[in-house]
Every structure is written in structure tokens, then in C-alpha cells.
């Protein structure tokens, strides 16, 4: 490998490491929530055992989960739309061949950081997204469970506010183009559109 090739490889590795920090605050928040839910369930089971309501009068053993088991249980819980993200600027368009609605805005504690979520019009599935905007360039990561990074985004904001670029898997495989147009404030649920899968802040045209 020549010097130029080595520099390109090092640059790509550095960018991957840099992207890893984007989702940490969001992933940490969901991990804390998962731990809180498990503690609540454990306390309830212990209380039931204390008053003799365990099945067949047997003592109930509360399972102890390690980090890997905890992560696995978190994966099983689909994300729900966050009302706070619904107030962020909205973009509508396509990711690959599927229509999506993206809410993406500046973080309150980091002017260069952005965060939000997007949803698929056909399923209502919610995906978290967080990253950094440098001028017109967007670099972000996504998570479909609040625990694992499931994709990378690299895009460009145009003068008209539109956002175009490529979404890839965490290893940068299977690139898909995205083409998104800004949605006017209050028009995410536009006239002539219908809610998708009970998600009130996602709609698709007739």
C-alpha cells in the first residue's frame, strides 16, 4: 500500500472512530431506562414473594442479567416516537425506495451537534439519529433500538434546505441514497395525508 493509500485508510478509520461518539448520549439514556424497568419488575416480584403469591408457593428467583443479556432484552423493545423530536425541523422524502419523515435539529448543549429521529411511512418504525453538522456537511449515526448503532449517514444540505446523501450499514456496506426536502412548520401531517400505524407525527400522502 502506497503512502496515499495508507493515509486514506487512516483517515477512514479516524472518521469511523469520530462517528462513534454521536450516539453515546442517546444510547446511554435508553440503557438507563432499560435498567430502571428491570429494577421495577424485580422489586414487584420480590414483593409478591414476600406475601406468598408466588406460583405453587415456591420462592421466586429473580434472574440476574449481565450486560449482554440486558442488551438482548433491549433489542426486543421497538422505539416509540419522541414528542420532543416532533418539534424539530422536518424533512420528507425517500431512503432507498422507502418513504421516510425525518425530524432533525440542533442539540441544545452542542451547537455543532444534531439529533432526532426518522420513521418509515410503510411501517411506522422509528429510528434514532445523532451526529454533527459542519457547514453544509452532515455526518450521523442511527440506532433502531436505542442500544446498537445500525447505520451511518453522510449528506449535504443544499441552499434550498434539502438534504441528500448516503445511508450505510455500520461497516459502510450496502449504501442507499436519501433525498429529503424540508417540510414547512406544522405541515408534517399535511392535508390529504393519513397517520401510519397509529403514529400521529408520521403521515403519508394518498
Amino acid at each position: 500500500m502506497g503512502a496515499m493509500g495508507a493515509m486514506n485508510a487512516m483517515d477512514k478509520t479516524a472518521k469511523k472512530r469520530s462517528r462513534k461518539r454521536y450516539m453515546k448520549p442517546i444510547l446511554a439514556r435508553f440503557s438507563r431506562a432499560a435498567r430502571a424497568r428491570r429494577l421495577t419488575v424485580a422489586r414487584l416480584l420480590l414483593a409478591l414473594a414476600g406475601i406468598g403469591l408466588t406460583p405453587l408457593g415456591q420462592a421466586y428467583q429473580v434472574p440476574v442479567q449481565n450486560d449482554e443479556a440486558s442488551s438482548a432484552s433491549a433489542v426486543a423493545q421497538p422505539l416509540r416516537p419522541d414528542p420532543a423530536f416532533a418539534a424539530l425541523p422536518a424533512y420528507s422524502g425517500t431512503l432507498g425506495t422507502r418513504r421516510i419523515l425525518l425530524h432533525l435539529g440542533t442539540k441544545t448543549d452542542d451547537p455543532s451537534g444534531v439529533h432526532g429521529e426518522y420513521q418509515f411511512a410503510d411501517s411506522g418504525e422509528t429510528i434514532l439519529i445523532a451526529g454533527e453538522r459542519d457547514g453544509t456537511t452532515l455526518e450521523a449515526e442511527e440506532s433502531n433500538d436505542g442500544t446498537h448503532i445500525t447505520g451511518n449517514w453522510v449528506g449535504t444540505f443544499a441552499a434550498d434546505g434539502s438534504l441528500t446523501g448516503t445511508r450505510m450499514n455500520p461497516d459502510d456496506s450496502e449504501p442507499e441514497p436519501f433525498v429529503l426536502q424540508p417540510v414547512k412548520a406544522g405541515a408534517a401531517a399535511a392535508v390529504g395525508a393519513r397517520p401510519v400505524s397509529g403514529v400521529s407525527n408520521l403521515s403519508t400522502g394518498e
Side-chain angles (χ1 to χ4, degrees):
M1 180 185 294
M4 184 62 69
M7 290 180 63
N8 289 337
M10 291 173 63
D11 183 57
K12 186 174 182 181
T13 300
K15 286 184 177 180
K16 285 185 178 179
R17 290 175 178 170
S18 176
R19 286 199 298 262
K20 295 300 180 185
R21 74 179 187 275
Y22 298 142
M23 291 302 296
K24 284 184 179 179
I26 291 179
L27 300 185
R29 183 182 69 184
F30 278 86
S31 296
R32 287 194 297 270
R35 285 196 296 271
R37 287 194 298 271
R38 288 195 299 274
L39 286 173
T40 300
V41 172
R43 287 168 182 154
L44 175 60
L45 293 172
L46 287 171
L48 292 175
I51 60 176
L53 293 181
T54 51
L56 303 178
Q58 298 176 350
Y60 189 92
Q61 298 295 322
V62 179
V64 177
Q65 293 181 315
N66 57 29
D67 290 340
E68 292 182 359
S70 300
S71 297
S73 65
V75 172
Q77 301 297 323
L79 297 177
R80 301 177 68 86
D82 188 333
F85 289 148
L88 297 177
Y91 302 83
S92 177
T94 56
L95 171 56
T97 59
R98 302 173 68 184
R99 293 199 62 80
I100 67 170
L101 179 66
L102 167 70
H103 288 275
L104 185 71
T106 304
K107 294 181 179 180
T108 57
D109 59 347
D110 181 5
S112 65
V114 293
H115 65 169
E117 66 186 17
Y118 72 91
Q119 295 147 319
F120 288 103
D122 54 8
S123 66
E125 179 185 6
T126 299
I127 311 291
L128 294 172
I129 185 168
E132 188 173 77
R133 178 174 179 174
D134 183 8
T136 60
T137 300
L138 170 71
E139 287 192 3
E141 294 172 332
E142 66 171 50
S143 175
N144 66 0
D145 62 3
T147 302
H148 303 91
I149 294 172
T150 53
N152 300 321
W153 287 51
V154 179
T156 302
F157 289 92
D160 62 359
S162 61
L163 175 61
T164 59
T166 304
R167 182 268 178 201
M168 300 158 283
N169 289 334
D171 61 357
D172 292 344
S173 65
E174 300 184 20
E176 290 184 298
F178 59 83
V179 180
L180 303 169
Q181 299 294 329
V183 178
K184 292 182 179 179
V191 176
R194 62 180 184 277
V196 176
S197 300
V199 179
S200 60
N201 64 337
L202 173 66
S203 56
T204 181
E206 293 292 337

